[in-house]
Amino acid sequence: MLSAKNLTKDHGAHRALDGVNFTVGPGDIYCLLGANGAGKSTTIKLFLGFMQPTAGCAEVDGLNPQQEPQAVRRRLLYIPENVALYDELTGFENLDYFARLAGVADRSPARLRESLAAAGLAREAFERRVAHYSKGMRQKVGIALAIIKEAKAMLLDEPTSGLDPEASAEFHDLLMRQRDLGAAILMATHDLFRAREVATTIGLMQAGRLRRTIDATAITANDLESLYLEEMGRRT
Ligand SMILES: Nc1ncnc2c1ncn2[C@@H]1O[C@H](COP(=O)(O)OP(=O)(O)OP(=O)(O)O)[C@@H](O)[C@H]1O
Ligand SMILES: [Mg+2]
């Protein structure tokens, strides 16, 4: 569903991403780990079509995000660290608005409410203005959009940074539910502990390169941390 093929991106003279290859299939959660500046967000932005690769390509369902932006956006759901919502609108109205933008045909009030509930938002919050939502509640509206859109692929960039441990655990449960429904999920995170718990595969990035690919189902938390520190310590 998501494929990075020799994905390379230069920012001026600086190579932010250098020949990265991986695929994320339906039912997979692929976690990108790596230090600040390793190239995780750059990878995600290339799948979104926000910028053009210097070489190689990022494909969504075999489609090029730059050449077929509409078709690609229909398949994708992007959740950044802070989900952008309209503060003056309620959670319900925000979901209605973004679902319409995403071309969701069935936006009946019942279905919108169902999606918000499935994303774990408390019912009494549906009609409240988002200006008063906590960060975790905003992320849930993002998940509700993924649910109502039936997004085939999800791109998440540090979606739980700043969430309290309970909200983070709940968020990861929701992710696993979407995975079990067949979504292909690519997530950048600094949370080794959660990455190991939810991922099928972990990619360790350093200085724009994918240094190591790990089967997350077959590694202990301690071994993951050791490998991470070892890779991050490498200079070349
Ligand atoms: N628009 C830009 N112009 C110039 N350089 C950029 C731009 N965006 C990213 N970079 C550089 O590309 C490299 C990779 O950045 P990226 O944001 O992908 O890292 P990251 O792994 O997401 O880091 P973090 O963990 O801090 O979010 C960094 O060296 C960064 O400074
Ligand atoms: Mg980043």
Side-chain angles (χ1 to χ4, degrees), residues 101-118:
L101 273 191
V104 175
D106 178 5
R107 285 179 289 106
S108 65
R111 183 147 188 260
L112 290 164
R113 288 205 174 84
E114 232 170 70
S115 305
L116 288 168

Side-chain angles (χ1 to χ4, degrees), residues 40-41 157-158:
K40 303 179 298 295
S41 297
D157 198 353
E158 299 186 37

Side-chain angles (χ1 to χ4, degrees), residues 196 199-200 214-221 223-224:
R196 194 196 67 86
T200 37
I214 298 163
D215 176 356
T217 61
I219 189 164
T220 65
D223 287 349
L224 175 60

Side-chain angles (χ1 to χ4, degrees), residues 24-84:
V24 190
D28 286 344
I29 298 182
Y30 192 107
C31 283
L32 286 175
L33 297 178
N36 298 131
K40 303 179 298 295
S41 297
T42 301
T43 304
I44 287 174
K45 286 176 192 157
L46 287 164
F47 277 103
L48 289 162
F50 288 176
M51 53 197 188
Q52 184 152 8
T54 304
C57 62
E59 284 179 0
V60 179
D61 210 2
L63 303 168
N64 180 317
Q66 294 266 315
Q67 284 161 8
E68 294 174 90
Q70 302 286 2
V72 163
R73 263 171 224 153
R74 263 201 304 281
R75 289 164 170 79
L76 282 184
L77 195 279
Y78 171 51
I79 300 188
E81 184 181 339
N82 292 296
V83 171

Side-chain angles (χ1 to χ4, degrees), residues 183-194:
I185 298 172
L186 175 64
M187 173 164 72
T189 179
H190 290 296
D191 188 340
L192 269 67
F193 172 74
R194 291 286 175 205

Side-chain angles (χ1 to χ4, degrees), residues 40-180:
K40 303 179 298 295
S41 297
T42 301
T43 304
I44 287 174
K45 286 176 192 157
L46 287 164
F47 277 103
L48 289 162
F50 288 176
M51 53 197 188
Q52 184 152 8
T54 304
C57 62
E59 284 179 0
V60 179
D61 210 2
L63 303 168
N64 180 317
Q66 294 266 315
Q67 284 161 8
E68 294 174 90
Q70 302 286 2
V72 163
R73 263 171 224 153
R74 263 201 304 281
R75 289 164 170 79
L76 282 184
L77 195 279
Y78 171 51
I79 300 188
E81 184 181 339
N82 292 296
V83 171
L85 299 170
Y86 288 100
D87 276 354
E88 325 73 61
L89 302 181
T90 66
F92 179 89
E93 289 164 345
N94 267 287
L95 181 61
D96 186 24
Y97 176 76
F98 285 105
R100 188 183 332 156
L101 273 191
V104 175
D106 178 5
R107 285 179 289 106
S108 65
R111 183 147 188 260
L112 290 164
R113 288 205 174 84
E114 232 170 70
S115 305
L116 288 168
L121 194 70
R123 284 186 187 273
E124 61 266 24
F126 291 6
E127 310 299 339
R128 267 165 51 203
R129 286 175 57 205
V130 157
H132 307 300
Y133 277 23
S134 69
K135 187 166 180 177
M137 290 163 77
R138 289 166 171 266
Q139 299 305 83
K140 285 174 182 172
V141 177
I143 291 270
L145 184 59
I147 292 170
I148 201 163
K149 205 179 154 180
E150 296 172 335
K152 290 192 164 133
M154 294 173 69
L155 299 171
L156 309 161
D157 198 353
E158 299 186 37
T160 57
S161 96
L163 291 193
D164 70 53
E166 196 186 349
S168 172
E170 204 182 339
F171 187 92
H172 288 99
D173 282 345
L174 289 164
L175 268 196
M176 289 191 282
R177 206 176 305 161
Q178 292 310 108
R179 172 199 67 191
D180 292 341

